[in-house]
Amino acid sequence: MSARTVLFFDLDRTLWDFERNSLETLKGLFADFSLAERGGGDFDAFNAVYQRENAQCWADYRQGKMQEEVLRSERFKRALKGFGVDDLALAEKLGWQYVERGPHQKHLIPGTLEVLEALRNRGHEIHILTNGFSDVQHLKVTNTGISTWIDNLLTSEELGHLKPAQACFEAALQFTGTRKEEAWMIGDDHGADIVGGHDAGWKTVFFDPDGQSPPDSPASAQVSALQELLAVLP
């Protein structure tokens, strides 16, 4: 390897199978708290409301309109209300139970561990740069075995800035002692990972399993499966 290559991976939906893990966690909560008996429908009806409200709460969080401690229960408060249940105490319980249970789910995007091992064997430094909450993300990395192959897990909470802010990418460079010319950002969030990384002067790879890449994407490369990274990265 002629030059230093430092890889920064997003975590949720890039390595950790967020949709599958979240769905299993929600199904467990729905059953354990007997929500079918209290609300207006089955799990699919509840999940549809939750996904909508959760997305809006996260949008508010990224824009600085909502704090972490509020988001955790607010998304369930809104979901329950939309499901026909008005119970703030229950929403708070669900919020904390979701955060407690979710990180213990272990489903990874196919190829995660094999690709990380192969990239490590090439001599690359590997970090995770995520907007998730620190306590939750550290549990995910430890419980799935990802920690074996990474040097550092960097969260926006610890760095003090959210992707796509350039300050987040600059803080990651400073923490790892990396020059922007050496850095690659690999992630599924086009705005946060690809546009943000590109604007910070990094090379970027868009993980796009659903073929949603915009035609004017500034990504250095695009892949639909993690295994394709082995042909794209140095």
Side-chain angles (χ1 to χ4, degrees):
M1 188 170 59
S2 60
R4 184 186 183 204
T5 299
V6 184
L7 307 177
F8 294 82
F9 281 85
D10 182 42
L11 182 58
D12 294 338
R13 300 183 179 90
T14 300
L15 301 176
W16 196 75
D17 194 338
F18 181 89
E19 269 70 30
R20 184 176 178 185
N21 291 320
S22 177
L23 188 66
E24 293 194 6
T25 302
L26 289 171
K27 283 181 177 178
L29 293 173
F30 189 84
D32 292 347
F33 285 87
S34 304
L35 296 184
E37 301 171 9
R38 304 186 59 173
D42 58 11
F43 173 75
D44 288 340
F46 171 76
N47 186 50
V49 178
Y50 172 82
Q51 296 300 335
R52 182 186 69 231
E53 299 300 339
N54 181 56
Q56 183 58 57
C57 285
W58 270 101
D60 290 343
Y61 172 76
R62 292 188 185 100
Q63 295 171 21
K65 299 178 181 178
M66 185 178 295
Q67 299 300 312
E68 171 190 347
E69 60 272 16
V70 175
L71 183 151
R72 290 185 174 185
S73 61
E74 181 66 19
R75 56 187 171 183
F76 282 100
K77 177 183 176 182
R78 297 181 185 182
L80 286 174
K81 188 172 182 179
F83 190 62
V85 179
D86 189 5
D87 190 331
L88 179 58
L90 177 59
E92 291 177 348
K93 288 180 182 178
L94 290 172
W96 284 106
Q97 281 292 306
Y98 179 85
V99 171
E100 286 289 324
R101 298 185 187 191
H104 294 280
Q105 299 285 348
K106 299 182 179 181
H107 298 293
L108 296 171
I109 298 294
T112 291
L113 296 180
E114 295 84 352
V115 169
L116 291 178
E117 180 180 8
L119 292 171
R120 168 66 77 195
N121 288 339
R122 291 184 183 182
H124 296 325
E125 298 174 42
I126 303 175
H127 309 283
I128 289 175
L129 179 59
T130 172
N131 276 352
F133 305 130
S134 295
D135 54 348
V136 173
Q137 303 301 66
H138 278 278
L139 277 174
K140 292 175 185 176
V141 167
T142 299
N143 290 337
T144 56
I146 294 175
S147 58
T148 300
W149 305 112
I150 68 166
D151 295 288
N152 292 288
L153 168 60
L154 309 176
T155 69
S156 56
E157 186 175 25
E158 293 164 342
L159 296 176
H161 305 280
L162 288 162
K163 295 179 293 181
Q166 289 193 34
C168 181
F169 293 93
E170 291 167 359
L173 293 180
Q174 182 176 5
F175 186 93
T176 58
T178 304
R179 294 184 295 112
K180 64 181 180 181
E181 295 82 6
E182 301 167 331
W184 290 73
M185 182 72 219
I186 302 104
D188 72 291
D189 189 317
H190 192 268
D193 299 319
I194 306 310
V195 176
H198 176 267
D199 289 348
W202 296 22
K203 291 177 283 292
T204 61
V205 180
F206 184 32
F207 177 55
D208 183 26
D210 299 322
Q212 300 297 317
S213 178
D216 59 346
S217 173
S220 307
Q222 301 169 24
V223 298
S224 59
L226 291 180
Q227 293 85 343
E228 296 173 22
L229 289 172
L230 299 180
V232 169
L233 296 170

